Amino acid sequence: MDRVAGKVVLVTGAGSGIGRATAKLLADEGATVIVTDINRSGGLETVQQIGGRARFEEQDTSKEADWKRIIEDILAREGRLDGLVNNAGIAGPFPSTFESETVEQWQRILAINVQGVFLGCKHGVPALRSSGGGSIVNLSSLAAFLGTPSLSAYGASKGAVRQFTKTVAIDCARKGYKVRCNSVHPGIILTPMGEGILPNDKAKERVRGSIPIGDFGAPADIAYGILYLISDESRFVTGAELVIDGGMNAI
Ligand SMILES: NC(=O)c1ccc[n+]([C@@H]2O[C@H](COP(=O)([O-])OP(=O)(O)OC[C@H]3O[C@@H](n4cnc5c(N)ncnc54)[C@H](O)[C@@H]3O)[C@@H](O)[C@H]2O)c1
């Protein structure tokens, strides 16, 4: 019940799916959680489900001004930041091949999935350092390892997150910042985003059958991996890729 006791952790996109499950688990394990999302009602619902040791702030992770405001506010109110989960992300429309993808869709996906993670690291690292060190978890995807013909911009964005995570990890380690940075790579998880690539029951059963472990993942399956990476149990882990996908990447 106290794997992250006393830590202050910011979770972006925590108004739904994996972010909500992560915020709840971190709070269960003793953290104070700052829940942020572009979706106010979803974020407030997460805070209500936690029922204490959590507060909500509206944030668009693609906007630098929002990051400055959120981080300054945390340092003023909580006095420290120990963990950052760069979870907010978008996919779709599904399917989007490289031939059908528009420049506007491509730029929107990269602005949130890649620029959002870059800004989180840029503004989060100084706050983590000033708190004596900490841990960043970036949500990448199984898509970072594979061709994704039906999600072309999404796959590219998650490949970028995987690589950028290692850059931050090594730069911080070599500079003695005491800030770790790792990526998490979910397979297909039943959230609003995951359901979006399973348009009907037939498609769902076909995809389920292709997962070695025989089923889709749940948001909590990813939250437990993130909990480990935010906790001090992973103090020697940085620049790593934690794949949680029911075996799909091992085929
Ligand atoms: N569900 C899956 O199968 C799966 C697989 C691999 C990776 N992921 C990754 O996990 C993360 C969470 O996905 P999920 O399945 O929980 O999705 P979700 O759609 O259920 O939740 C994403 C949340 O991010 C928020 N968000 C979107 N744009 C934002 C912005 N600009 N600023 C702040 N918040 C924003 C949304 O409002 C939503 O609450 C994403 O980065 C996603 O790419 C999910």
Side-chain angles (χ1 to χ4, degrees):
M1 294 296 283
D2 59 358
R3 291 174 64 186
V4 287
K7 291 189 189 295
V8 176
V9 186
L10 165 56
V11 185
T12 70
S16 174
I18 292 168
R20 174 176 288 168
T22 300
K24 289 166 72 173
L25 184 61
L26 288 166
D28 281 352
E29 292 291 341
T32 295
V33 184
I34 318 304
V35 168
T36 76
D37 205 293
I38 203 166
N39 173 0
R40 185 171 187 83
S41 63
L44 289 171
E45 170 65 25
T46 301
V47 168
Q48 196 181 355
Q49 288 185 19
I50 291 172
R53 273 211 303 265
R55 66 180 176 86
F56 172 73
E57 290 291 335
E58 206 165 306
Q59 179 190 22
D60 180 342
T61 56
S62 68
K63 302 260 190 304
E64 187 160 31
D66 278 21
W67 275 106
K68 287 183 177 163
R69 173 176 56 81
I70 297 287
I71 298 284
E72 274 172 22
D73 189 51
I74 292 171
L75 293 180
R77 291 172 68 173
E78 278 79 23
R80 56 185 300 107
L81 182 68
D82 305 289
L84 166 61
V85 185
N86 283 313
N87 166 78
I90 58 167
F94 179 81
S96 314
T97 69
F98 76 93
E99 290 168 306
S100 66
E101 195 100 57
T102 65
V103 170
E104 290 72 25
Q105 282 168 22
W106 178 274
Q107 288 178 339
R108 180 162 179 267
I109 288 179
L110 267 74
I112 295 171
N113 293 7
V114 184
Q115 185 170 299
V117 172
F118 153 65
L119 290 172
C121 294
K122 181 177 168 73
H123 293 285
V125 165
L128 295 165
R129 281 186 75 197
S130 72
S131 308
S135 171
I136 299 176
V137 177
N138 293 332
L139 267 289
S140 177
S141 170
L142 175 62
F145 303 103
L146 311 168
T148 52
S150 304
L151 287 168
S152 74
Y154 180 80
S157 75
K158 294 302 181 178
V161 170
R162 175 186 176 214
Q163 197 279 344
F164 179 66
T165 299
K166 295 181 199 306
T167 294
V168 174
I170 300 310
D171 207 1
C172 288
R174 289 206 173 125
K175 288 172 176 164
Y177 285 0
K178 299 191 192 324
V179 174
R180 300 181 293 107
C181 187
N182 294 286
S183 55
V184 168
H185 301 261
I188 303 170
I189 311 302
L190 292 182
T191 67
M193 181 189 287
E195 301 269 7
I197 61 163
L198 303 166
N200 53 52
D201 287 351
K202 204 170 156 209
K204 198 168 181 174
E205 288 322 304
R206 187 174 38 78
V207 175
R208 195 197 303 272
S210 71
I211 303 171
I213 229 166
D215 206 353
F216 299 106
D221 295 321
I222 308 305
Y224 277 107
I226 297 171
L227 170 66
Y228 165 69
L229 291 171
I230 290 292
S231 82
D232 295 336
E233 296 159 13
S234 57
R235 56 178 285 275
F236 199 52
V237 181
T238 198
E241 301 164 355
L242 180 53
V243 179
I244 307 176
D245 69 344
M248 287 183 89
N249 198 38
I251 299 172

